[in-house]
Amino acid sequence: MSKSESLDKGDWGSTDIQSQDSQNNPELENIIQQISQLRDSIDNVDMAVLALLAERFKYTTRVGLLKARAGFAPADYHREDYQIQRLQRLSKDVGLDPEIAEMYREFVVAEAKKRHKRIKESGEDPGVLDIFS
């Protein structure tokens, strides 16, 4: 069986890239180096995504405080409909599967609603994001 046939059948070999002995294989060393660089980039993107998500929730918390002060409901279905359309369009523009954008939207909307409800009940900032509450 050739290596490509083996890969087609899901036999990917070792999963621990760092343990690969590549001293006598420049091609393998190059691949390992590229993977390491890409993983560094992934880690940087993860950090940026989390920082932006935290920033987003700071804004939605402020919206929740204002809604509570005005006596508005935690949910705003007109805004949700707008966001569905907007995120679908944006995801296509940037080459992201629209289903991923929808999962993201569902998560942030559900959490924002929970936080807005807690704000309405307590009258104050709900504190640290807690998806298990």
Side-chain angles (χ1 to χ4, degrees):
M1 176 181 312
S2 74
K3 184 158 184 106
S4 64
E5 289 172 329
S6 175
L7 290 177
D8 289 340
K9 295 185 184 224
D11 180 15
W12 290 81
S14 175
T15 60
D16 184 3
I17 292 169
Q18 299 306 320
S19 70
Q20 296 295 315
D21 181 15
S22 60
Q23 291 178 348
N24 297 325
N25 187 335
E27 181 181 7
L28 185 57
E29 178 61 35
N30 183 34
I31 289 171
I32 291 170
Q33 184 178 17
Q34 288 180 55
I35 290 171
S36 178
Q37 290 170 345
L38 288 167
R39 285 179 172 172
D40 287 345
S41 295
I42 290 167
D43 292 347
N44 289 336
V45 169
D46 286 343
M47 182 183 69
V49 167
L50 291 177
L52 287 170
L53 191 57
E55 187 73 12
R56 187 187 196 286
F57 279 111
K58 287 177 190 174
Y59 296 131
T60 60
T61 295
R62 289 173 55 192
V63 167
L65 289 165
L66 292 169
K67 282 182 174 183
R69 187 182 308 158
F72 296 147
D76 181 343
Y77 298 111
H78 178 75
R79 172 72 175 165
E80 285 185 45
D81 290 341
Y82 167 79
Q83 284 291 81
I84 289 169
Q85 299 303 316
R86 182 177 160 275
L87 291 175
Q88 291 294 309
R89 188 177 61 255
L90 288 173
S91 66
K92 290 175 186 173
D93 289 348
V94 300
L96 180 68
D97 182 339
E99 288 184 32
I100 294 172
E102 179 57 19
M103 288 186 297
Y104 162 77
R105 189 200 64 80
E106 287 176 4
F107 163 71
V108 294
V109 167
E111 186 56 36
K113 283 181 187 177
K114 284 194 309 189
R115 293 167 65 82
H116 290 182
K117 184 176 181 227
R118 286 186 295 204
I119 290 168
K120 185 176 182 178
E121 292 168 354
S122 70
E124 60 186 46
D125 187 324
V128 175
L129 179 65
D130 178 8
I131 62 172
F132 299 108
S133 63

